[in-house]
Amino acid sequence: MTNGRMALSRRSVLAGGMVLGAGAILPGCKPVMSGLLTGADAHPGDYPTVRAVEFMGRYLDEKTGGRLGIRMFAGGQLGSETDTLEITSFGGIDFNRVNFAPLNSIEPMTLPFCLPFVFDSVAHMRRVVDSEVGDEVMASLEPHNLIGLCIYDSGARSFYNVRRPITTPEDLRGLKIRVPASDLYIAMVNALGANAVPIPFGEIYQSLAQGVIDGAENNWPTFVGERHYEVANYLSLTQHLLTPEALVMSKASWERLSRADQLLVREAAKASVVEMRRLWDIRVDEAKAAVAASDVAVNTVDTEPFAALMRPVWDQFITTPAQQDIVRRIRDMREG
C-alpha cells in the first residue's frame, strides 16, 4: 500500500477472509488507522448516497490534513448488500451503505423502519431517524460487529405497472409484482392481493418488457434512473414504504481509530446526511419532471385501505416488546 491506496476487488476481499482497508493489520504490528478507508455501495457512482460518503471522505481528509479519507467502490463492485455486510462485519470493508431490509435478518430491531405505512411522510421519517429512536436502532447493530453511523433517505416507494392504475387494493389483485428477496416485502405484496415475485433488481426492466412481471415498486429516482418508466405506463403513489438506508462501519475498523478520530468520523457522518438529503431532493425533483414529460399516467391514492391490510404483516414481524416500543414511538412522532 502506498499513501493508503490499494487495488481492491471483491475477489481479494473474500480471499481467505483477509482484513483490508486503511487500517489493515499485519502480524506483529501495532494497529494504526490511517490512509484511505474503503467504502462500498450497491448504488451507481452518481447516486446521492455514494456522493454523500465521498463528501464524508473529503471532510475527513480536510480535518486530518490528508491522514484519513475514503475510497468508494460503488455500483456493487464488491458484491450485493448481503455480501458486503458480511465482509464489513469481519473487517474487510471499512464503511458500507446498505438498505435497512438486509439488516432485518441479523437484527430484529431494524424491522420497525421497514414496516409498510409506518412513516406518514418523508418529513416524519427524517424526524424519527434523527431522534433517539434512530440512535437506538443503529446502536443495536454493534453486537453484530457493525457500528451504525448515520441514516440516509431511500425515498417513498410506490407501485408501477404495465396493466392499469392502482387506486384500491383490489386493483393489485392478481398482478405479478416484483419484490426484493425479503420476507417482509413478500408478505406485504401478498397481503395486498398481488402475487409477489422475488427477482434480482437488475432484471426488472427486461421482466417488465417481456411480461414476466406486471409491475414493481420503488422510488422516483429508481423509476426514472433505471428506465422502468419506459415500459411501465402506470405509476400509483401508494408511498407504502419509506424504508431508510444505513451507513455502517466495521467494528474492527472502528476500534482501530483513536477516540478523537471516532468522534470525527461521527461528525463527518452527521454532516454527510445534510449533503445526502440535498442531493436526494434534487434527484427526486428531476425524476418527477422526467415522468411529467413522459407518457406515464400518475395517480394519487387514498392510502388508508392499503394500510388497513397491513396489520397482519406488522403482527408477523413485530413480535417483541422492544420492537413494539419502537413502533409506538415512531407513530407518536406523526404530525398532528
Side-chain angles (χ1 to χ4, degrees), residues 38-40 53 56 84-85 88-89 93-100 103 106 138 141 145-152 245-251:
T38 55
V53 178
M56 183 177 166
T84 56
L85 266 178
T88 305
S89 70
I93 296 171
D94 298 310
F95 295 101
N96 195 0
R97 194 289 316 159
V98 294
N99 191 270
F100 264 84
L103 294 169
I106 64 173
M138 293 295 269
L141 299 173
N145 297 318
L146 300 169
I147 301 296
L149 293 178
C150 64
I151 300 175
Y152 294 145
E245 305 198 327
L247 178 65
V248 299
M249 185 174 187
S250 166
K251 187 177 180 180

Side-chain angles (χ1 to χ4, degrees), residues 61-213:
D61 179 83
E62 179 181 345
K63 295 292 185 179
T64 64
R67 180 171 55 83
L68 289 176
I70 300 174
R71 182 183 181 187
M72 281 299 294
F73 293 85
Q77 292 180 63
L78 303 184
S80 69
E81 291 187 351
T82 301
D83 292 335
T84 56
L85 266 178
E86 182 179 1
I87 298 168
T88 305
S89 70
F90 65 67
I93 296 171
D94 298 310
F95 295 101
N96 195 0
R97 194 289 316 159
V98 294
N99 191 270
F100 264 84
L103 294 169
N104 295 167
S105 61
I106 64 173
E107 176 47 58
M109 288 297 286
T110 63
L111 273 160
F113 284 177
C114 299
L115 292 176
F117 299 105
V118 73
F119 298 115
D120 291 341
S121 64
V122 170
H124 178 208
M125 182 274 294
R126 289 177 175 176
R127 189 160 53 249
V128 169
V129 302
D130 289 345
S131 73
E132 291 181 356
V133 172
D135 293 341
E136 291 174 25
V137 171
M138 293 295 269
S140 72
L141 299 173
E142 187 166 353
H144 309 286
N145 297 318
L146 300 169
I147 301 296
L149 293 178
C150 64
I151 300 175
Y152 294 145
D153 286 26
S154 186
R157 297 174 76 104
S158 293
F159 289 105
Y160 46 89
N161 78 99
V162 301
R163 301 294 181 190
R164 53 182 176 263
I166 306 299
T167 58
T168 69
E170 287 72 25
D171 295 322
L172 278 166
R173 190 165 303 279
L175 294 185
K176 295 174 291 185
I177 302 294
R178 180 269 173 182
V179 294
S182 159
D183 290 342
L184 190 149
Y185 277 73
I186 293 170
M188 174 191 70
V189 167
N190 288 341
L192 290 171
N195 299 320
V197 183
I199 63 172
F201 179 75
E203 297 179 12
I204 297 175
Y205 183 96
Q206 184 177 9
S207 296
L208 284 167
Q210 296 180 346
V212 175
I213 56 175

Side-chain angles (χ1 to χ4, degrees), residues 170-330:
E170 287 72 25
D171 295 322
L172 278 166
R173 190 165 303 279
L175 294 185
K176 295 174 291 185
I177 302 294
R178 180 269 173 182
V179 294
S182 159
D183 290 342
L184 190 149
Y185 277 73
I186 293 170
M188 174 191 70
V189 167
N190 288 341
L192 290 171
N195 299 320
V197 183
I199 63 172
F201 179 75
E203 297 179 12
I204 297 175
Y205 183 96
Q206 184 177 9
S207 296
L208 284 167
Q210 296 180 346
V212 175
I213 56 175
D214 299 308
E217 50 81 53
N218 220 303
N219 55 49
W220 283 95
T222 297
F223 184 52
V224 172
E226 298 298 323
R227 300 171 40 234
H228 297 166
Y229 77 126
E230 295 178 359
V231 286
N233 303 324
Y234 303 99
L235 172 63
S236 303
L237 301 179
T238 50
Q239 302 185 95
H240 48 274
L241 290 170
L242 285 103
T243 304
E245 305 198 327
L247 178 65
V248 299
M249 185 174 187
S250 166
K251 187 177 180 180
S253 301
W254 175 259
E255 291 179 342
R256 293 196 296 276
L257 290 171
S258 68
R259 175 60 178 163
D261 283 347
Q262 288 177 350
L263 293 174
L264 181 60
V265 165
R266 287 204 180 276
E267 179 184 302
K270 184 176 182 180
S272 78
V273 173
V274 178
E275 177 68 0
M276 188 275 166
R277 289 176 179 173
R278 183 186 73 82
L279 295 170
W280 180 260
D281 291 343
I282 292 172
R283 181 69 67 94
V284 169
D285 289 343
E286 291 174 345
K288 288 181 178 180
V291 171
S294 74
D295 295 329
V296 175
V298 181
N299 66 280
T300 58
V301 174
D302 176 5
T303 61
E304 289 188 10
F306 294 82
L309 296 174
M310 292 299 102
R311 176 52 59 184
V313 177
W314 284 32
D315 291 343
Q316 178 182 348
F317 291 94
I318 304 301
T319 58
T320 70
Q323 290 174 314
Q324 292 163 358
D325 180 63
I326 291 292
V327 171
R328 177 188 60 77
R329 292 159 66 192
I330 291 173

